[in-house]
Amino acid sequence: QVQLVQSGGGLVPAGGSLRLSCSDRTFSTFAMGWFRQAPGEEREFVAAIRWSGGDTLYADTLEGRFTISRDIPAGTGYLQMDNVKVEDTAVYYCATGRRPTARAGAYDYWGQGTQVTVSL
């Protein structure tokens, strides 16, 4: 059974940086996506990566501030968040599936979520 374990997150000032991690100890990942959900909002796509090849996909609204990557031997994916804004405040989730896509329903397994709060 795949279990995704997330780490990182917390409180960060606007303009700062933060890195989120997501580990799959079964080493069965084909693609990993990151999503976020702010209070009262629907879950939205952030970024995705294909495990082999490293093809990436990003939400247009990020303006190049976030970078998704992976460490295959470690079975871990990362979301590097730079120049964060107050509107980036949300619970961030990682998910794994067969291919990188912005569609949440295409992912099979989800992490527990981690809170990111950006302060002024």
Side-chain angles (χ1 to χ4, degrees):
Q1 180 71 15
V2 174
Q3 183 177 11
L4 303 180
V5 178
Q6 294 185 226
S7 60
L11 180 65
V12 58
S17 296
L18 201 63
R19 189 177 78 162
L20 307 182
S21 301
C22 177
S23 296
D24 169 16
R25 295 307 181 193
T26 66
F27 298 93
S28 59
T29 299
F30 291 93
M32 180 176 288
W34 287 91
F35 292 78
R36 66 185 182 185
Q37 188 167 19
E41 303 289 333
E42 295 195 355
R43 189 170 298 188
E44 67 169 345
F45 171 73
V46 175
I49 188 167
R50 191 184 306 276
W51 223 239
S52 65
D55 312 48
T56 57
L57 180 68
Y58 291 95
D60 293 338
T61 55
L62 294 178
E63 303 169 324
R65 298 181 296 115
F66 293 5
T67 303
I68 190 172
S69 62
R70 83 279 189 246
D71 182 338
I72 295 176
T76 301
Y78 303 97
L79 183 68
Q80 177 68 38
M81 305 168 60
D82 296 317
N83 190 23
V84 296
K85 303 178 179 181
V86 171
E87 51 264 42
D88 293 324
T89 296
V91 177
Y92 283 72
Y93 298 89
C94 64
T96 58
R98 301 290 298 182
R99 61 184 180 88
T101 175
R103 192 168 64 87
Y107 292 88
D108 302 311
Y109 302 98
W110 290 79
Q112 79 274 21
T114 187
Q115 177 70 45
V116 172
T117 302
V118 181
S119 62
L120 287 171

